[in-house]
């Protein structure tokens, strides 16, 4: 209906710039936050011509980041491995 039509309305220049900035930040954060990878990819696809409905995506991404601002990935040190033997032939 009418409400849906508003979501397809192209953003004004200043709001488009804001959208692109947020989408780019999401893309940057997704390198360290794998759970953001899909959302940032979808937001990045709309960077050339964002519409009002796309703003919901980046706002939701922002609320998620605000609610879980930190992700710690721990890679524990591995102990020494088994002995490795390599045999070669002179040919």
């Amino acid at each position: 209906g009418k409400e849906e039509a508003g979501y397809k309305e192209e953003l004004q220049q200043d709001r488009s710039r804001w959208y692109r900035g947020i989408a780019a930040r999401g893309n940057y954060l997704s390198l360290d936050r794998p759970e953001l990878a899909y959302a940032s990819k979808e937001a990045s696809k709309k960077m050339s011509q964002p519409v009002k409905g796309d703003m919901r995506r980046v706002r939701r991404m922002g609320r998620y980041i605000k609610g879980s601002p930190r992700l710690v990935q721990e890679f524990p040190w591995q102990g020494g491995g088994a002995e490795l033997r390599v045999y070669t032939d002179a040919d």
Side-chain angles (χ1 to χ4, degrees):
K2 289 182 181 180
E3 189 174 306
E4 231 177 82
Y7 285 124
K8 297 180 189 255
E9 185 181 329
E10 199 168 317
L11 294 176
Q12 295 175 355
Q13 187 176 2
D14 61 329
R15 299 305 284 169
S16 290
R17 190 177 310 123
W18 182 84
Y19 177 89
R20 290 182 186 106
I22 298 299
R25 285 181 187 94
N27 196 24
Y28 174 76
L29 287 173
S30 71
L31 296 173
D32 293 328
R33 306 275 306 259
E35 76 274 19
L36 293 175
Y38 181 77
S40 68
K41 175 192 69 101
E42 291 298 312
S44 295
K45 285 181 3 181
K46 306 290 186 166
M47 285 176 82
S48 63
Q49 289 183 323
V51 295
K52 286 187 177 183
D54 298 328
M55 293 291 284
R56 294 176 69 192
R57 178 178 292 118
V58 293
R59 284 190 180 121
R60 184 177 203 141
M61 198 166 48
R63 284 192 303 269
Y64 173 77
I65 292 168
K66 187 176 180 181
S68 59
R70 188 171 163 190
L71 174 74
V72 176
Q73 293 182 11
E74 189 173 320
F75 299 98
W77 187 261
Q78 295 179 353
E83 184 178 313
L84 177 65
R85 291 181 186 225
V86 178
Y87 298 97
T88 61
D89 188 359
D91 289 338

